[in-house]
Amino acid sequence: MIWKNNNIPENIVAEKADAWKTSKILTRLLLNKNLVEKKDVERFINPCLEQLRNPFDFERMEEAVEKIIKLREKKQRIYIYGDYDVDGITAASFLVLVMREIGIDTRYYIPSRMEENYGLDKKTIDFINERDGKMVITVDTGANSIEDIRYAQSLGIEVIVTDHHKSTKEKSDEEYILINPKLSENYKFKYLSGAGVALKLAQGIYRKLKISEEKLYKYLDIVMIGTVADVVPMIDENRVIISKGLQVLKETKVKGLVYLIRYLKFQNKNINTTDVSYFISPLINSLGRIGVSKIGADFFIEEDDFKIYNIIEEMKKTNKIRRKLEKKIYDEAIEILEKEENAKDMPYIFLTSKNWHPGVIGVVSSRLSIKFGVPVILVAIKNGVGKASCRSNNGVNIFNIFKKMEGKLVRFGGHDLAAGFIAETGKLKEIEGEFAKEIEKLKTTREEKVLEVDLELSIDEINEEILEDIKLLSPYGLENQQPLFMDRGVYIKNIEKFGVEDRHFNGIIEKNKKEYPFIAFNLSNEIEHKNMKEKFDIVYYPEKVNIKGKDRYSIKIKGIK
């Protein structure tokens, strides 16, 4: 692991600190994020709803909104069709709530990951047609379901596709309404989540009807959860959605979230994106991955206390199963790779099994890709069909690779670095061969992880002012990482390892007679065979935690030598 210091000349820091009226530490952190103009700094540290872009910048938003309003006037039924991950579930739930709020007859359909294909299919369209659905609005899916959309249209069902995945189409066309920032020429922000695109459609409807958008924003916490879960860049509109969504979550109007926060004992906690990523999202995601996906949407929409209680119990149960399945698949994959003589030099990983659950191989693919630093494809096989989850890094665009072999796949979709496909098992060897050729062309090298250090700061200098400065940079995530500090010559003691294979450890960190609790994830191997009486250098992030009712400074170690 490489530690890289971001060195900005002191005179520039001093000049900007004076102009911006900010502390030198905050100024340096802002400059490290390539913020150099005062107006950009103010916009960054004060995200507000007014910063959300105009939904009618989408080419066919006006047309989509008019069609929805026409069905509202005719009192005809609209179905929201969502993907089965957290982004799709939250996008669907949000649209159902805000459309019902203004009197639109709205129902929803979330497919089963195990029993149905990704995206719209004819069976679902028949189901909707039989129940008098006059329109289908897809959320977080549908961009590549062209034949199924044509089938719906042949039955007289109108289709509006809202999606944010890459499409086999290069741009939108006239065949059906497609609202997708990645295909829009006019909409300048390309990185909305599926829930974020659903928000834009809702904004368009409310704005056209001249209804206060405050009614929308009371459910912004739902959109925030989907946006955090989908790991989109934490910039521009996403920064506003997440920042304001976290505020809404404090006094949520969603009864399911009230109960879930109580279960997690977060009532008195200042919930942040880490809490959403590691505690809230996995519980919802478990339903989509191995449970009944529709229950995930029921969780946000349901008002009955008893039903909500049962949904949370189901979440807890499926989440435990998910963890066990992930560990089992990960262990099996590692066992296979350990038998390969050149596993450490493989330019990619492609593994298949009839024993793997398709709902959890995506998480395992991600872990393996991080561990080995190469693209990973895991395929779960059942009844002659392989469902693959793929994760990439190092600039290898797997979506474009799959696009080149489209004829060999039943379906595919996703993003540049995270995608999936369905294929007949008889074609998997051919698919791997094509994939290997494409990887060879790119001649990828393994990534060595780099920790970007913002500045050196002794842990004994941490104070309230520094923590308040750091807080202004949140929420954190992709393209807006937590600021990292470096300190030298610290002692660590009272170490306890925990987690799968004891990968994590915690304890007490000391310098200049000041002590703080610390935690270090996935770093146990860095202290193996080390003399614990030695001094260590660390890269870290300081935060405030509540321990037994008392606020204390705590250190999150990100690198140790």
Side-chain angles (χ1 to χ4, degrees), residues 88-344:
I89 287 169
T90 53
S93 305
F94 173 75
L95 269 190
V96 169
L97 287 167
V98 300
M99 287 172 70
R100 286 180 177 176
E101 185 94 17
I102 56 173
I104 300 176
D105 182 357
T106 313
R107 298 195 183 181
Y108 54 102
Y109 189 97
I110 311 289
S112 164
R113 187 185 288 261
M114 287 297 291
E115 297 170 13
E116 298 173 75
N117 290 329
Y118 174 80
L120 269 176
D121 60 27
K122 291 179 180 177
K123 201 167 156 186
T124 306
I125 292 161
D126 286 336
F127 174 90
I128 290 168
N129 189 46
E130 288 163 9
R131 285 153 184 79
D132 208 26
K134 299 301 180 188
M135 176 184 282
V136 176
I137 302 172
T138 75
V139 288
D140 193 39
T141 187
N144 297 315
S145 303
I146 297 165
E147 292 303 319
D148 302 302
I149 290 167
R150 288 173 182 156
Y151 177 68
Q153 290 171 332
S154 75
L155 297 176
I157 298 172
E158 294 192 86
V159 180
I160 295 171
V161 173
T162 75
D163 202 350
H164 73 130
H165 293 95
K166 294 195 78 171
S167 172
T168 50
K169 293 188 172 196
E170 294 299 326
K171 60 181 182 177
S172 187
D173 60 27
E174 296 302 314
E175 192 170 357
Y176 60 91
I177 296 175
L178 173 58
I179 298 171
N180 184 334
K182 288 189 173 67
L183 297 181
S184 174
E185 292 179 10
N186 296 338
Y187 204 83
K188 300 307 178 188
F189 183 56
K190 305 299 179 185
Y191 303 108
L192 287 168
S193 65
V197 181
L199 170 65
K200 304 315 294 184
L201 179 63
Q203 280 182 310
I205 297 167
Y206 273 57
R207 208 163 285 186
K208 193 74 175 176
L209 290 169
K210 294 182 170 56
I211 296 171
S212 170
E213 289 174 38
E214 287 304 313
K215 288 188 174 184
L216 283 180
Y217 301 139
K218 71 180 181 182
Y219 296 119
L220 200 59
D221 48 356
I222 301 176
V223 181
M224 175 273 296
I225 291 168
T227 301
V228 171
D230 219 55
V231 199
V232 288
M234 204 76 74
I235 55 175
D236 205 284
E237 286 189 285
N238 292 336
R239 183 168 170 78
V240 177
I241 289 167
I242 293 166
S243 178
K244 294 303 172 187
L246 286 168
Q247 290 177 18
V248 172
L249 186 60
K250 291 176 184 176
E251 297 181 10
T252 183
K253 300 293 187 290
V254 180
K255 194 176 271 192
L257 287 173
V258 172
Y259 279 92
L260 188 61
I261 288 167
R262 201 174 294 166
Y263 159 67
L264 293 169
K265 296 183 171 60
F266 283 176
Q267 303 99 306
N268 301 315
K269 191 178 190 303
N270 190 19
I271 299 172
N272 56 34
T273 52
T274 302
D275 299 319
V276 175
S277 296
Y278 288 96
F279 298 101
I280 295 174
S281 291
L283 286 163
I284 300 163
N285 207 16
S286 65
L287 295 172
R289 290 190 178 279
I290 58 173
V292 180
S293 308
K294 182 180 177 292
I295 295 176
D298 294 341
F299 166 75
F300 289 102
I301 295 165
E302 188 57 65
E303 286 289 327
D304 183 275
D305 293 24
F306 183 69
K307 288 180 181 176
I308 293 169
Y309 173 81
N310 284 335
I311 291 170
I312 292 174
E313 287 302 305
E314 184 67 17
M315 281 180 177
K316 288 153 66 176
K317 185 177 81 175
T318 54
N319 198 40
K320 283 180 183 175
I321 296 168
R322 174 192 65 81
R323 284 176 178 166
K324 287 179 182 176
L325 286 171
E326 279 177 17
K327 184 180 185 307
K328 179 174 176 288
I329 295 169
Y330 180 80
D331 289 346
E332 285 180 16
I334 291 295
E335 190 178 337
I336 294 167
L337 293 168
E338 283 176 347
K339 291 176 183 175
E340 295 282 340
E341 289 182 16
N342 63 338
K344 289 183 179 178

Side-chain angles (χ1 to χ4, degrees), residues 344-359:
K344 289 183 179 178
D345 299 316
M346 291 168 69
Y348 69 89
I349 292 168
F350 191 110
L351 301 175
T352 68
S353 176
K354 292 180 180 178
N355 301 320
W356 293 345
H357 193 294

Side-chain angles (χ1 to χ4, degrees), residues 489-534:
V490 303
Y491 291 101
I492 59 173
K493 58 187 181 182
N494 300 350
I495 291 171
E496 288 186 18
K497 293 183 179 181
F498 65 96
V500 178
E501 299 172 345
D502 283 339
R503 287 180 297 146
H504 322 305
F505 66 98
N506 59 23
I508 299 295
I509 192 164
E510 179 192 347
K511 187 175 182 182
N512 295 336
K513 298 184 179 179
K514 280 194 176 181
E515 294 185 344
Y516 306 107
F518 78 84
I519 192 163
F521 292 107
N522 299 306
L523 289 174
S524 287
N525 60 317
E526 299 292 333
I527 59 168
E528 289 293 328
H529 315 300
K530 293 279 177 72
N531 179 356
M532 302 319 294
K533 291 181 180 178
E534 289 180 1

